[in-house]
Amino acid sequence: MTKPDTLLDYGRRIERVIDHIAAHLDETLELERLAAVACFSPYHFHRIYRAMAGETAADTLRRLRLHRAAGDLVKGGDGMVQVARRAGYGSVEAFTRAFGQVYGLSPGAYRRQGRLVPPSDQPPDEERSMHDVTIRDLPPLRVAAMAHQGPYMNIGTTFERLYAWAAGRGLVGPETRSFALYYDDPESVPADQLRSEAALLLDGPIPEDGAVHPLEIAGGRHAVLIHKGPYAELERPYRWLYRDWLPSSGHTPADRPCVEEYLNNPRTLPPEEWLTEIRLPLA
């Protein structure tokens, strides 16, 4: 598939999802269902959707519900409590805040105005920096892994535990490499529900021991870019990768999570020198 064809195909897939959301405004969004509508891997759906649509699927649902609520207010048949509940809010106060942020008026003032108006202007998109991406065939790797649940920025604590476990067994050596697998989009999934794994490629066999388990990082074709700078800024190259590069690349992501390899030692270098290799698996 050519690059323009891929971009058109991605756009059509996202359109299908938006149509699906619009037809099911009163239902709970389920990742697996939305990913199936778009024919994307659940591992990558949220990032692709946000990159193409400019908002998360949950944002789309809230926006479309508020748009419907605006129509309900103009029609004037339902009370404010009913309109708020139909828009997905548990209280009139919460609905009033959300509606005002989007439409620039309270629901009562909007109803008195008596006509539909578009939402107020949204903030402009961020600057789009370019990154070098290479396509590489990578070998599979068998690593020692420890699961982490919670904010991705806190995975460092899990790495500390994993390193201590490996060092205590004499498994850390000059060839030890650090990886992390990230299963969820941090801008679409609540921070306390984010799933990831800290992983080490060790010198020797990997015993299964408590929280540590063997894990295979699949090989194959990957889109690879290297980020230089603090780990706190990693979401920027991810946004660019899914928003700008992937839809126009002619490639489709595989049904596997993204992997990061940390190429140098954050203990001995300042944050601006940290190197992270981001690996996006390709179908």
Side-chain angles (χ1 to χ4, degrees):
M1 188 178 292
T2 66
K3 294 180 179 180
D5 287 343
T6 304
L7 185 58
L8 287 172
D9 179 55
Y10 276 40
R12 293 189 188 104
R13 297 192 202 191
I14 297 305
E15 287 176 15
R16 290 203 304 267
V17 176
I18 293 173
D19 289 342
H20 175 83
I21 293 173
H24 300 84
L25 289 181
D26 297 316
E27 299 178 14
T28 301
L29 296 183
E30 297 181 355
L31 169 61
E32 289 75 14
R33 177 57 183 155
L34 296 181
V37 170
C39 296
F40 282 126
S41 161
Y43 289 120
H44 306 286
F45 168 77
H46 276 313
R47 288 187 183 274
I48 295 173
Y49 184 92
R50 177 159 49 84
M52 295 291 293
E55 62 185 1
T56 67
D59 290 335
T60 300
L61 177 63
R62 282 191 291 269
R63 178 172 55 79
L64 293 179
R65 282 177 172 175
L66 286 172
H67 179 71
R68 182 177 66 179
D72 291 342
L73 289 169
V74 171
K75 292 175 186 175
D78 294 328
M80 200 64 72
V81 172
Q82 288 76 20
V83 174
R85 287 177 179 169
R86 191 161 185 248
Y89 294 90
S91 70
V92 172
E93 291 77 12
F95 170 64
T96 298
R97 287 194 297 272
F99 190 90
Q101 288 172 355
V102 174
Y103 283 86
L105 294 170
S106 70
Y110 192 90
R111 169 169 276 175
R112 289 190 296 273
Q113 183 174 270
R115 60 188 176 87
L116 289 173
V117 296
S120 57
D121 291 338
Q122 299 298 314
D125 199 5
E126 63 186 10
E127 181 181 354
R128 300 190 174 191
S129 300
M130 297 292 293
H131 301 268
D132 291 326
V133 176
T134 59
I135 306 300
R136 289 164 50 191
D137 284 309
L138 300 173
L141 299 171
R142 188 168 174 80
V143 296
M146 182 179 289
H148 173 78
Q149 180 165 332
Y152 286 159
M153 283 300 296
N154 295 345
I155 197 173
T157 302
T158 303
F159 268 111
E160 296 292 341
R161 293 171 53 208
L162 183 58
Y163 263 105
W165 173 91
R169 289 159 178 77
L171 298 175
V172 177
E175 302 302 318
T176 299
R177 295 161 63 187
S178 302
F179 299 86
L181 292 82
Y182 295 99
Y183 298 107
D184 302 305
D185 176 13
E187 295 197 24
S188 302
V189 176
D192 62 347
Q193 297 177 25
L194 292 170
R195 301 165 300 139
S196 56
E197 303 221 40
L200 297 177
L201 182 65
L202 300 171
D203 298 340
I206 303 168
E208 189 154 0
D209 186 5
V212 178
H213 58 277
L215 178 71
E216 180 163 305
I217 298 176
R221 283 199 314 160
H222 289 73
V224 179
L225 68 83
I226 294 178
H227 168 75
K228 183 177 182 180
Y231 299 147
E233 298 177 1
L234 277 165
E235 187 58 24
R236 293 180 185 175
Y238 273 105
R239 285 190 188 127
W240 177 86
L241 188 65
Y242 280 92
R243 179 190 62 200
D244 297 334
W245 182 83
L246 185 59
S248 60
S249 68
H251 296 287
T252 300
D255 190 19
R256 300 192 302 276
C258 284
V259 178
E260 292 176 4
E261 180 176 5
Y262 308 102
L263 302 179
N264 51 15
N265 190 345
R267 294 181 177 181
T268 60
L269 294 169
E272 61 267 21
E273 297 296 325
W274 296 351
L275 296 176
T276 304
E277 185 176 84
I278 298 173
R279 302 177 174 184
L280 170 63
L282 300 175

